Amino acid sequence: MLRIIFSLVILLMSSVSCVAIGAERTALNVKELSSLPITGYEIVGGKANLILIVGGKGIRNVHGKSKNFLVRFQKDIAGSQFNTYVFPNKSKKHKSTYAYRNSKEQIKRLTNFVKLLKSRNGLPTFIVGFSRGSVDAGSLAVSRPNLIDGIVLISGVYENESRKASDYAMEEIIGERLKTPILVIHHEDDECHVTSPDKAQSFFNRLENIDKTLKLISGGEATGRKCGPLHKHGLEGIELKAVSTMTNWALRQINLRLFRNKTF
């Protein structure tokens, strides 16, 4: 009976999605967080906030440009449902190293931005971390699990032998327990040396979490570097598969939250 009621609630919620109006480009200037604008798309009647964190050395330009698919397909991610924000480095000169992504300063920056968004619209907020961005997402989820509504790890960093990255694998950052809902998206043929799909699977299997989801994706192209945005690692050619997986999961989390809070 409970399953039937939940299904009816989901149908009711999906029927009102047309209230949202198309995504409009925005740039938030929050000097306390960064000298760079926080670029994104905002929706009138949106259902949640998605904070997008790219890998590599991060976002270090005023236009929020990147070859990372989270940026290139940001408007698709927003669709007619979500507010999306690309979280930049704290300045043009600053590089987002592994150590900084796991630092108290970065966790504080993200914490303050989440609080700012909630004061603006009061919506559920999810952190999406790509590659090195998984370190930011995982660190925040561990330190402030009740602040956010879930994390998405795309092509995340897992157990590896890299001198720079080994201490920042998800096995080290998150461990085997997490209170926050988590979605792991990974290409089954990812060839980057610090983002092994086998290690992603092992991490997921060991994770003691009541709400965890794994999606392995296949296909696509590989025209660039193995650890770059234009390769299996960056989900080249199949970006919209990842977008669909991520947004559908976020909507499910929102609906579950509303269902739990609803009194019948």
Side-chain angles (χ1 to χ4, degrees):
M1 182 64 181
L2 189 60
R3 183 176 296 178
I4 295 174
I5 295 174
F6 177 67
S7 298
L8 290 173
V9 171
I10 297 298
L11 286 172
L12 178 61
M13 291 172 180
S14 61
S15 68
V16 299
S17 62
C18 60
V19 173
I21 298 175
E24 293 188 1
R25 187 73 170 167
T26 188
L28 304 179
N29 292 294
V30 188
K31 298 301 182 182
E32 295 80 8
L33 299 179
S34 176
S35 61
L36 302 170
I38 302 172
T39 58
Y41 287 90
E42 292 186 327
I43 309 287
V44 176
K47 293 186 175 181
N49 303 311
L50 301 182
I51 300 175
L52 313 176
I53 306 176
V54 304
K57 296 176 182 178
I59 297 292
R60 296 190 291 164
N61 63 83
V62 296
H63 303 293
K65 291 184 177 181
S66 171
K67 292 182 180 179
N68 188 284
F69 92 94
L70 290 179
V71 176
R72 291 186 291 113
F73 286 79
Q74 187 183 176
K75 193 170 184 179
D76 296 281
I77 297 170
S80 61
Q81 310 265 15
F82 302 102
N83 301 317
T84 60
Y85 306 92
V86 175
F87 198 68
N89 295 17
K90 60 181 184 178
S91 69
K92 284 184 179 181
K93 295 182 178 180
H94 183 261
K95 297 179 181 179
S96 289
T97 63
Y98 282 108
Y100 182 78
R101 290 173 182 274
N102 187 44
S103 69
K104 290 182 179 179
E105 181 179 351
Q106 179 69 340
I107 292 171
K108 184 177 180 180
R109 289 179 69 228
L110 282 167
T111 296
N112 288 340
F113 186 49
V114 172
K115 289 181 177 179
L116 173 64
L117 291 180
K118 291 191 173 185
S119 69
R120 281 168 61 87
N121 55 39
L123 294 175
T125 300
F126 300 87
I127 308 294
V128 181
F130 176 89
S131 194
R132 288 192 189 188
S134 63
V135 177
D136 308 64
S139 298
L140 183 64
V142 170
S143 62
R144 300 299 300 271
N146 298 321
L147 179 69
I148 54 179
D149 296 271
I151 63 171
V152 181
L153 307 182
I154 305 176
S155 303
V157 178
Y158 299 100
E159 183 182 343
N160 64 84
E161 297 180 358
S162 167
R163 178 178 59 83
K164 293 182 178 180
S166 60
D167 290 340
Y168 303 99
M170 292 302 96
E171 292 87 347
E172 300 295 328
I173 299 296
I174 294 177
E176 297 184 356
R177 294 186 179 184
L178 187 66
K179 296 179 180 179
T180 305
I182 180 173
L183 168 64
V184 175
I185 300 176
H186 217 93
H187 196 294
E188 61 183 21
D189 295 318
D190 190 335
E191 297 178 39
C192 182
H193 64 293
V194 298
T195 60
S196 162
D198 291 338
K199 298 299 184 182
Q201 178 77 68
S202 298
F203 165 78
F204 179 81
N205 291 343
R206 291 196 297 267
L207 191 60
E208 296 178 11
N209 197 49
I210 60 173
D211 194 337
K212 63 177 184 177
T213 303
L214 170 67
K215 176 65 175 179
L216 295 177
I217 299 179
S218 61
E221 302 175 21
T223 63
R225 298 179 298 105
K226 289 182 179 180
C227 291
L230 301 179
H231 205 277
K232 301 292 179 66
H233 175 72
L235 306 177
E236 182 183 12
I238 52 172
E239 295 92 345
L240 290 178
K241 284 186 180 181
V243 170
S244 177
T245 298
M246 171 172 48
T247 54
N248 287 337
W249 177 83
L251 287 173
R252 176 179 174 274
Q253 293 300 321
I254 296 166
N255 291 337
L256 283 170
R257 176 183 175 185
L258 291 173
F259 177 71
R260 294 188 190 106
N261 294 337
K262 192 171 183 65
T263 302
F264 292 96

